[in-house]
Every structure is written in structure tokens, then in C-alpha cells.
Amino acid sequence: MTPPPRWVRRTMLAPAVVLMTVAVVTTLPMWLLLAAALSPFLPGRWRPLRVLWVAVVAMVLDSVVLVVLFVLWLVSGFGLLVRSPPFQYLHYRLVGWYLQVLYGEAVRVLRLKVEVEGPDPDEYLDRPLLVFCRHAGPGDSFLLVHALVNWYAREPRIVLTAALQWDPALDVVLNRLPTRFLPAGGGAQLQRRIGELATALDHNDAFVIFPEGGNFTERRRLAGIKRLRARGLERMARRSEAMRHVLPPRPGGVHAALAAAPEADVVFVAHSGLDHLFTVADIWRELPLDATVRMRWWRVPAADVPSGEEDQVEWLYQWWAKIDHWIEETRRLP
């Protein structure tokens, strides 16, 4: 869904979130009593209370972030210096704090456990990174950025869907950082903007892109295979049919990122554990989640990345088949 114009988001949506948060917090005892009264009549262990608490925490976090962002805007000379390196650093620290608190509450209240496999963070020091991640839902995307900022001490540059600008806090903070909110679809203009964002990465930058272009669903998987066949790419369509847990990767953005940052190492990231939750109803049914989320990281040195576009397509599909196999094996674990 296309977000409203910038002035509407800043003057209406952002203040509305803060006012709504104040209203909810000041009446919180009433909501807690109501959730507690409903809990015995609904399946799950105190499901309404868990949902209420996570919702309240998310609202409070968004409102605090919006207030801090407003203060930073004032201190930066009414936005004049807001994109300067010192203020960029402060914005990344704010993002890290937000994700750390949200992650901690998800682990505590929703009873999540996160296991990470792959190279030690020290192996990534002082190297620019291109991060190509499987797209398995907003929860996994937040976990990826949390890991990059708080575990790997990275400053991510992210390609995101424009619809995320409906969230006022994300809208403001990410529009001040090296981020691109892009509409659905592809084309030369999209690849050009991706290339611009991946240019001039420094030692602690991580350019993040989701080559699938959207969250995994079976409908999107079949549509992607059909699209490949319509373009006469029968071999790629057959290879995509053999991959049951991922969407066919779209190589255009990958080509653009690799061309813009040939000196960067490549990191592939896959998740498993929450990828069966597609809708709000799915999440509600599973609460508390009591789930183990597994993340797998693979590092490819820049010298091992193929240079030709055809070779890069083959390489990308080989990695996506490897990710698909890892997901299949992971789902068999207890």
C-alpha cells in the first residue's frame, strides 16, 4: 500500500502515534484488567496479556523514538546537519537501542530463542559487506538489522519497500539514514538507485538487499516461477520449482550492488523458525511462540565473487538452492 505524502506522515501520522500512546498508557490498568479477564476464555497461555504488552511496548518505543528524533532535528539546526556523520552515528545508536529493547521483550514475552550459525563476528571486521538475505517476514527482517547493528557493529544501508513508511518512527529515522524506500517492481531506474546506495561503502557499512523482492508465500513462489517461464527462462523456472522454501531470486539488484561495491565481501543470510507465520491470525494462533529462530550466515570473500552477469546469476541460484536445502534440514531439527 502506497504511503501518504511526506507532509501528511510528518504532521498527522507521527503526532497521532504519540497521542494514541499517551491515551493507551494512561488507561493501561483498564486494558490489563480486560486482557486478564479474557485470557481464561481464549486458547493459549495468557494470550491477550502477551499481545497487549508487546503492543504497548511497541507503541511506547515508537513514541520515544519520535520524540528523540524531533530533539535531534532541533539540535542539528532544524535538520541542517541531521545527515552529517556525527548525527548519522546518533541515529544508528537510536536504531540499535530500539531494536535491542524490542528484541529483549520478544524473547521474554513471546518466549523466543535465537540461535546463530556461521563465521564469528571478528571475521567481518574492517570489511565492507553486501548482505543478501532471504525474505521470510518482518520479524526476520528486524532480527537481521538488530544483528547487524548490535552484534556486528555495522551501519546498515537497506533497500526497503515504500509501504514501511506507514510506520512513523521507521519513516523518519530511516529517511535520515542511507536507505532507499523503493516501490514494487524492477527496472533500470530501480537498479540505478540500488547501485547508488551500494557505492562508497566504508569499513563498517553493510548494504542489505532481499533478492526475492518480498516475503515468502507459496502464491508468490508460483507466481515467480510463472514469470520466469513467461520470459522464456525455462531452466531457471525448473531450478526454482526444485526450491520449495524460497522465492526465485531476482538478480537485477544483486548485479547493481556487486558492480557498485566490487571490493566488498558478500554475506548470505537465511532464517528459519518464524517463516510459517504469514498473517496476524497465524501469529495469534501460535502465541506464545515458544519457538527457536535459527539464523545462518555465510561469508564469501570479494575475490571469490564472479564478475560476469551470467556467472553471477548462476552463482546466485546456487546459493539460493543452498539456502533452500539449509531450511529443509533446519525444519527437521527439534
Side-chain angles (χ1 to χ4, degrees), residues 105-118:
E105 288 304 297
V107 168
R108 186 177 67 86
V109 179
L110 303 183
R111 302 187 56 157
L112 287 176
K113 180 182 179 183
V114 179
E115 296 180 357
V116 181
E117 307 172 56

Side-chain angles (χ1 to χ4, degrees), residues 235-253:
R235 180 169 174 266
M236 294 303 174
R238 291 181 179 178
R239 294 179 69 174
S240 298
E241 285 178 329
M243 297 186 290
R244 308 295 301 180
H245 310 294
V246 295
L247 301 181
R250 302 184 180 190

Side-chain angles (χ1 to χ4, degrees), residues 130-247:
L130 297 176
V131 181
F132 302 148
C133 185
R134 181 215 179 195
H135 210 335
D140 288 342
S141 302
F142 273 85
L143 182 58
L144 170 67
V145 179
H146 166 63
L148 287 171
V149 174
N150 291 315
W151 299 346
Y152 293 91
R154 289 284 166 168
E155 296 183 349
R157 304 184 184 185
I158 314 173
V159 176
L160 297 166
T161 176
L164 287 176
Q165 292 176 106
W166 277 100
D167 185 303
L170 291 178
D171 175 30
V172 177
V173 72
L174 293 182
N175 271 302
R176 293 182 185 177
L177 294 173
T179 301
R180 291 292 185 275
F181 287 101
L182 301 178
Q189 183 179 9
L190 178 63
Q191 294 181 33
R192 177 180 59 80
R193 296 181 69 183
I194 289 174
E196 291 172 353
L197 187 61
T199 299
L201 300 177
D202 63 24
H203 69 284
N204 67 340
D205 283 334
F207 174 83
V208 180
I209 191 172
F210 301 91
E212 293 165 306
N215 294 329
F216 176 88
T217 66
E218 184 62 19
R219 180 184 60 81
R220 285 179 174 170
R221 174 178 168 273
L222 295 175
I225 295 170
K226 183 179 179 180
R227 185 170 54 249
L228 290 172
R229 285 207 164 94
R231 296 172 57 193
L233 303 174
E234 180 62 29
R235 180 169 174 266
M236 294 303 174
R238 291 181 179 178
R239 294 179 69 174
S240 298
E241 285 178 329
M243 297 186 290
R244 308 295 301 180
H245 310 294
V246 295
L247 301 181

Side-chain angles (χ1 to χ4, degrees), residues 2 19 35 45 81 86 102 215 237:
T2 304
L19 292 175
R45 287 169 289 169
L81 301 175
L102 198 60
N215 294 329

